[in-house]
Amino acid sequence: MTRAEGFKDQGEYSPDNLLAGEYPRVERVVTIAAGADLAKGAVLGRITANGKFKLSASASADGSQIPDAILAEKANAAASDVQAVIYFSGEFNENALVLGAGHTLDSVRIALRAKSVFLRSNQN
């Protein structure tokens, strides 16, 4: 491939298709609890005792079993707590979400809808 003189390769863009509509998104920086590296699109729950977020799993008993938000960026939290941006509202492609153990799209849909987080299939 030929490039005009003076131009450099700036990398590539790979869309992740997480966003699925125009419903207003509310973003905040929060603390992701140590214990696992999380991918963008992870469905998070809030730990009641300390207010930190982690991947929501249905069998958890610390408050995080209730889906609360969507992770907006990768979070490398395997070794320690990290700060990350999460979405508290918006429309998201359900096929781009990362669900914790025991959750299905149906099990997270109602809890997220109550928080103004709406899931759509990318075919709609």
Side-chain angles (χ1 to χ4, degrees), residues 57-110:
S58 66
S60 293
D62 58 5
S64 68
Q65 69 274 15
I66 301 168
D68 193 44
I70 307 292
L71 187 59
E73 60 186 352
K74 183 178 177 183
N76 295 323
S80 63
D81 292 355
V82 296
Q83 298 290 298
V85 176
I86 65 172
Y87 295 114
F88 280 112
S89 70
E91 284 181 277
F92 301 93
N93 176 1
E94 64 187 28
N95 299 312
L97 298 181
V98 177
L99 302 176
H103 277 309
T104 64
L105 288 172
D106 288 335
S107 73
V108 301
R109 189 181 320 274
I110 293 172

Side-chain angles (χ1 to χ4, degrees), residues 29-57:
V29 175
V30 300
T31 301
I32 306 297
D37 290 338
L38 300 175
K40 181 177 184 174
V43 175
L44 304 176
R46 184 179 172 276
I47 302 168
T48 305
N50 60 21
K52 296 176 184 178
F53 288 80
K54 70 178 193 176
L55 185 64
S56 181

